[in-house]
Amino acid sequence: QVQLVESGGGLVQAGGSLRLSCAASGRIFSNYAMGWFRQAPGKEREFVARIEWSGGTSTSYADSVKGRFTISRDNAKNTVILQMNSLKPEDTAVYYCARWRSVVAGTLPPSYWGQGTQVTVSS
């Protein structure tokens, strides 16, 4: 079983930055795809970013965060980072770390989820 624990959420002003971390533990396969989703109250959970290792590292982002958010991995510490810059009030949500059970996510849903961390961006 894999456990994912997020940290780094909080309250920031619009235009500010925040760094989220996801630490994985349990039965870890380091090359499996990982990513971030978010969910605002009354909204559907939406994809934010994903990182995959298949023939090299690849990343993908939702259009709404492209150019502002960066996903990366610290292999030595088995953590995934979401660096969020130029934050907007629309980014306010609970952010969830996710892990797939394949090296490429494709159309599959994540197999594991963290419990979420709150990000609030004030105007």
Side-chain angles (χ1 to χ4, degrees):
Q1 185 174 341
V2 174
Q3 295 84 43
L4 305 174
V5 180
E6 304 98 332
S7 62
L11 173 65
V12 297
Q13 296 262 350
S17 297
L18 206 60
R19 175 182 160 117
L20 305 183
S21 297
C22 175
S25 62
R27 296 187 177 273
I28 304 300
F29 297 89
S30 61
N31 62 335
Y32 281 7
M34 296 185 68
W36 292 88
F37 293 72
R38 67 186 182 186
Q39 187 169 22
K43 303 290 186 180
E44 295 281 344
R45 186 171 298 186
E46 65 175 349
F47 166 79
V48 175
R50 181 175 60 243
I51 185 166
E52 299 166 308
W53 302 266
S54 179
T57 300
S58 65
T59 57
S60 59
Y61 300 90
D63 288 340
S64 59
V65 306
K66 195 170 298 181
R68 299 187 298 119
F69 291 11
T70 302
I71 187 170
S72 61
R73 177 173 179 176
D74 184 339
N75 289 315
K77 299 183 182 301
N78 201 24
T79 60
V80 173
I81 306 299
L82 184 67
Q83 178 66 46
M84 305 185 294
N85 298 325
S86 302
L87 283 163
K88 306 174 180 179
E90 308 93 271
D91 296 317
T92 296
V94 176
Y95 283 70
Y96 297 90
C97 180
R99 186 178 180 92
W100 282 258
R101 283 194 285 189
S102 62
V103 296
V104 177
T107 60
L108 297 173
S111 295
Y112 304 98
W113 296 89
Q115 293 185 343
T117 185
Q118 177 70 48
V119 171
T120 303
V121 184
S122 62
S123 59

